Amino acid sequence: MDPSHEILFQPVKIGPVTAPNRFYQTPHATGFGWQRPRSGAALRGVKAEGGWGVVCTEYCSISPTSDDSPHAFLTLWDDGDIAPLALTAEAIKAHGSLAGIELWHGGAHASNRMTRLPTLAPRVQPALYQLPTTARGMDLADMRAFRRWQRDAALRAKRAGFDIVYVYAGHDYLPFQFLSRRTNDRGDAYGGSLENRVRLLREMLEDTREAVGDTCAVAIRLAVDELQGPSGVTSAGEGREAVEMLAELPDLWDVNIAGALGNDSKSARFSEEGFQEEYVRFVKGVTTKPVVSVGRFTSPDRMVSQIKRGIQDFIGAARPSIADPFLPTKIREGRADEIRECIGCNICRAANNEGVGLRCTQNPTMGEEWRRGWHPERIPLARREKVLVVGGGPAGLEAALTLARRGLEVHLADAARKLGGRVNRESTLPGLATWGRVRDHRLHMLGKTDACLYPESRMSAEDVLDFGADRVVIATGSQWRRDGMGVLGMGGAFPGALTPDDIFAGADPGAEVVIYDDEHYFMAGALAERFAREGRRVTYVTPQSVVSSWTAYTDEQGFVQARLIELGVRIVTGQGATGWERGLRTTCSYTGVESLIPGETLVLCTGRLPDLALYQQLAGRHPALGLVGDALQPSSMADAIHSAHRYAREIDGPQPPRREMPPLTDGRAP
Ligand code: ADP
Ligand code: SF4
């Protein structure tokens, strides 16, 4: 290990328990929830195995009045929840790490769609993020019940084997709703002065300590700033005062920022590594208890700096631990160069927001630990065959690396001078430079194998057959379509239109450019930003009602829209393109009324077509021909990498994923 990194491996006491090092996997959603306990346990177990000294669960509801359906969350509602959660605690502790559990009540934020119980809140108010429900203002009987739920859940968490039990007042959830003036206008002992608004938190901390504090550490997760200015909790105002009031009550402070739009898990497009530091750095000056926070830390030197400068005692991480569960081990073993750094794309956030199991662009094994039995660092050796991978984008690189790790003789050819495919282009867009890590990590790791890389080598079908490989993997990617067919529209005639491929190849979009987005992920919004920064007059048109609508899943949509507004991009929503004729011909998505949107040049971002030419020429002519990545199915980089990884895992035969089937309550086997 680099001696300067030794400080990261010092044990840290948290109340009655001791963390073996400073690597702290803060709570993060997995999309598995109470329905898939084995998947959740295996995922957390791999984090602990990878060296995270503390590994926490995602949010765990303490009462059926806090139901986040249809999103996946854990439950500690009755004793029946103990055994499934014990799987996770055991999986973490088997590796000598501490197991933390984030007890949760969403208050006005809970949907209660499954339980159909009334939503609770400090006051009568519209339920947050759902319509058309009004949350019930909690009376004193509700307050007593709430305190009992937290206490009972803490006792069950202890029985399940957890070492750290959370009082959770982050992310706009119930205890935070009591804390913030914006959501608490009560006239009783729980409203009014800050002392009163902090009362519930104080009681929760005391109750939890009394219930389980003899053997479990009591952690508090507090949003110290809700980014709403002086009307809300701020780190210079009431956030700081609240920490001062409760300073020594918990055994650990887990601090972040809250508010709408995914502030504390901002993507790299909208935040730098360590972006929360300005909000949370005061905390260590106010308490003697250990402090943890997050900031997409992937650089060991930055981590050391956080500790040495007294910002925090632990390195908190959700996304970096998803991208590389073995990050701590790699630092400890002096292999920091092998860290699979998070690129900050927030595809992991999308999984939870879509209600499916966790996935990650950089780490295709994330979420597949139990279902497919994939381990991020270990992979079985296979028969040594000579394999030719055609295409060196994310999918080709992933296939080559994984096959090389399996012991195959790997050759990779790409037409371009620089390997990386779409990453080379997309990482030049504003804020997406970190996406280059997808290429850099794989090229770096390939450099440690005996794989041969051939840039500037466009392969014809004859070239491929002449190469004499036992196995051929086609990863030739995709091209943006020119016919305008998109998610909502069937296309039209767009003579002279440019595509993102043309722009990346150097085409000039002119002074007045219209961008038509019927793909709805990042590309059109990012190009609009780039063009506006270049001083062009940009009109962004979409048949959806907001810009880059799919980025709502990556918690970025509000930031994208704000950025385009700030840059003066003209935004036209609810218009589907039908053709280009001295301007973009459109019809209203709702009424069908036709319009003409003026512009000099059109850039179409509507979808991609797989580049299948080589595959089709080889079909039936090579006995072991594989197809991966965008050539198989144009999609996110995460999907391209996953498909290539799956191919490499399954060269010896298909491996159908396991499914978690709930046991039948009548005692019969499922
Ligand atoms: P993916 O996301 O599936 O990895 P990309 O579009 O990023 O797809 O990468 C595809 C790569 O395949 C590009 O770098 C391209 O240069 C390369 N490629 C396409 N056709 C050929 C070919 N016939 N011979 C060699 N390389 C090719
Ligand atoms: Fe990081 Fe993207 Fe993976 Fe999330 S999906 S952990 S943001 S690389």
Side-chain angles (χ1 to χ4, degrees):
M1 173 181 11
D2 180 332
S4 71
H5 299 157
E6 273 169 14
I7 194 172
L8 300 171
F9 293 89
Q10 292 168 342
V12 180
K13 203 164 151 29
I14 314 174
V17 296
T18 301
N21 60 38
R22 296 183 187 269
F23 292 95
Y24 192 116
Q25 184 246 275
T26 49
H28 70 73
T30 62
F32 292 134
W34 59 269
Q35 295 96 330
R36 281 166 283 187
R38 290 184 181 81
S39 302
L43 183 156
R44 303 293 179 193
V46 164
K47 303 277 197 86
E49 185 192 349
W52 295 87
V54 179
V55 177
C56 298
T57 66
E58 62 266 57
Y59 59 159
C60 178
S61 170
I62 59 174
S63 154
T65 58
S66 182
D67 154 27
D68 208 29
S69 303
H71 303 298
F73 60 102
L74 298 173
T75 51
L76 267 177
W77 294 347
D78 56 47
D79 286 357
D81 284 313
I82 294 174
L85 274 170
L87 293 177
T88 289
E90 278 163 24
I92 295 167
K93 292 165 77 163
H95 300 282
S97 305
L98 295 179
I101 185 161
E102 187 183 43
L103 300 187
W104 165 74
H105 198 296
H109 212 306
S111 75
N112 294 358
R113 283 291 188 265
M114 173 180 60
T115 61
R116 303 193 73 178
L117 294 174
T119 306
L120 299 177
R123 63 176 181 194
V124 178
Q125 67 153 83
L128 298 167
Y129 303 115
Q130 359 133 15
L131 289 171
T133 311
T134 297
R136 217 170 71 77
M138 291 168 74
D139 60 22
L140 290 181
D142 292 323
M143 303 296 294
R144 282 193 294 277
F146 172 75
R147 288 177 62 182
R148 197 176 63 246
W149 298 331
Q150 169 77 17
R151 195 187 151 80
D152 290 350
L155 285 167
R156 291 189 182 110
K158 178 178 164 176
R159 283 170 61 196
F162 286 93
D163 306 294
I164 302 174
V165 177
Y166 267 73
V167 166
Y168 183 15
H171 299 118
D172 285 343
Y173 293 134
L174 186 72
F176 190 83
Q177 291 155 22
F178 271 87
L179 180 63
S180 174
R181 270 184 304 217
R182 297 191 318 116
T183 41
N184 180 351
D185 61 1
R186 298 171 72 97
D188 64 2
Y190 291 97
S193 67
L194 182 63
E195 184 71 46
N196 280 358
R197 283 180 278 126
V198 161
R199 187 177 310 281
L200 181 64
L201 267 179
R202 184 188 295 283
E203 289 172 348
M204 290 172 76
L205 287 167
E206 288 168 353
D207 293 346
T208 309
R209 177 176 304 290
E210 194 189 297
V212 299
D214 52 339
T215 55
C216 300
V218 178
I220 183 169
R221 186 171 226 200
L222 183 71
V224 294
D225 202 309
E226 55 182 320
L227 304 188
Q228 298 292 328
S231 68
V233 170
T234 64
S235 57
E238 290 196 335
R240 182 188 179 100
E241 289 170 49
V243 179
E244 285 170 350
M245 286 175 182
L246 304 172
E248 301 301 312
L249 272 184
D251 295 313
L252 174 123
W253 283 92
D254 175 348
V255 282
N256 67 359
I257 52 179
L261 302 169
N263 281 323
D264 87 321
S265 53
K266 273 189 188 174
S267 68
R269 194 170 164 191
F270 298 101
S271 68
E272 299 285 325
E273 186 172 336
F275 64 99
Q276 300 197 34
E277 182 176 321
E278 62 177 300
Y279 300 100
V280 302
R281 69 174 153 225
F282 78 86
V283 179
K284 262 197 72 63
V286 175
T287 176
T288 64
K289 305 294 178 169
V291 175
V292 63
S293 185
V294 294
R296 255 185 18 255
F297 296 108
T298 55
S299 143
D301 294 338
R302 281 247 190 166
M303 297 175 192
V304 170
S305 153
Q306 287 282 306
I307 309 294
K308 287 206 165 150
R309 287 186 298 121
I311 308 298
Q312 49 181 325
D313 300 282
F314 287 99
I315 300 305
R319 288 171 289 179
S321 75
I322 293 170
D324 197 339
F326 275 64
L327 179 149
T329 296
K330 289 177 182 175
I331 297 174
R332 197 186 68 234
E333 294 178 352
R335 297 188 287 127
D337 61 306
E338 296 184 11
I339 293 173
R340 208 181 306 101
E341 288 184 281
C342 167
I343 68 169
C345 62
N346 277 11
I347 282 292
C348 49
R349 292 291 310 134
N352 192 59
N353 288 333
E354 288 181 310
V356 296
L358 191 56
R359 69 179 78 131
C360 169
T361 299
Q362 274 283 56
N363 176 10
T365 68
M366 183 50 51
E368 301 285 19
E369 298 83 357
W370 184 85
R371 193 167 80 118
R372 295 187 191 270
W374 290 358
H375 189 278
E377 301 299 312
R378 285 194 298 274
I379 189 160
L381 285 173
R383 195 161 58 85
R384 188 160 170 89
E385 297 175 327
K386 180 177 174 183
V387 56
L388 173 65
V389 180
V390 184
L397 291 174
E398 176 66 21
L401 177 58
T402 311
L403 291 169
R405 289 171 62 206
R406 299 204 63 185
L408 276 76
E409 180 193 321
V410 173
H411 302 263
L412 182 148
D414 193 294
R417 181 173 302 170
K418 185 176 175 186
L419 297 178
R422 60 185 283 194
V423 171
N424 294 340
R425 301 184 286 276
E426 292 170 5
S427 62
T428 64
L429 290 167
L432 300 189
T434 49
W435 289 25
R437 292 172 176 177
V438 165
R439 168 200 61 219
D440 298 344
H441 171 73
R442 286 165 179 78
L443 282 175
H444 181 70
M445 297 306 291
L446 274 165
K448 298 190 178 204
T449 71
D450 62 0
C452 302
L453 309 180
Y454 313 105
E456 291 186 273
S457 304
R458 177 167 291 282
M459 303 293 282
S460 66
E462 271 54 47
D463 294 334
V464 171
L465 294 172
D466 288 349
F467 197 80
D470 303 313
R471 179 177 292 279
V472 173
V473 185
I474 302 297
T476 44
S478 61
Q479 270 109 43
W480 286 87
R481 42 195 317 156
R482 298 182 177 279
D483 59 2
M485 182 181 286
V487 174
L488 298 174
M490 298 311 288
F494 301 93
L498 301 173
T499 69
D501 293 324
D502 299 324
I503 299 297
F504 290 123
D508 181 359
E512 289 194 25
V513 54
V514 176
I515 300 180
Y516 180 63
D517 185 4
D518 196 10
E519 193 238 7
H520 313 295
Y521 188 23
F522 68 91
M523 181 59 77
L527 278 178
E529 177 176 347
R530 173 174 144 181
F531 294 155
R533 289 188 188 283
E534 290 169 351
R536 306 176 202 277
R537 288 227 329 227
V538 184
T539 304
Y540 168 101
V541 184
T542 176
Q544 289 284 21
S545 53
V546 294
V547 305
S548 301
S549 61
W550 195 82
T551 62
Y553 289 112
T554 54
D555 288 343
E556 293 175 293
Q557 196 282 322
F559 298 119
V560 181
Q561 188 115 12
R563 172 103 13 121
L564 297 197
I565 292 170
E566 284 158 10
L567 287 169
V569 172
R570 181 178 171 227
I571 295 169
V572 181
T573 58
Q575 293 291 328
T578 54
W580 176 254
E581 212 180 302
R582 292 184 304 280
L584 187 65
R585 277 197 287 111
T586 63
T587 55
C588 172
S589 305
Y590 307 99
T591 64
V593 171
E594 296 186 353
S595 304
L596 186 75
I597 297 169
E600 188 186 305
T601 331
L602 173 66
V603 178
L604 280 176
C605 301
T606 60
R608 286 175 287 144
L609 293 167
D611 187 341
L612 284 169
L614 185 60
Y615 179 78
Q616 283 165 348
Q617 287 157 21
L618 286 167
R621 296 171 69 193
H622 193 285
L625 185 64
L627 181 65
V628 300
D630 290 326
L632 174 67
Q633 177 193 23
S635 184
S636 64
M637 262 203 295
D639 285 347
I641 290 169
H642 185 275
S643 89
H645 192 85
R646 183 162 66 84
Y647 171 86
R649 289 264 180 184
E650 294 186 344
I651 52 172
D652 352 71
Q655 297 167 1
R658 291 193 284 178
R659 294 170 63 198
E660 291 209 48
M661 302 298 276
L664 297 174
T665 47
D666 63 5
R668 283 183 297 158

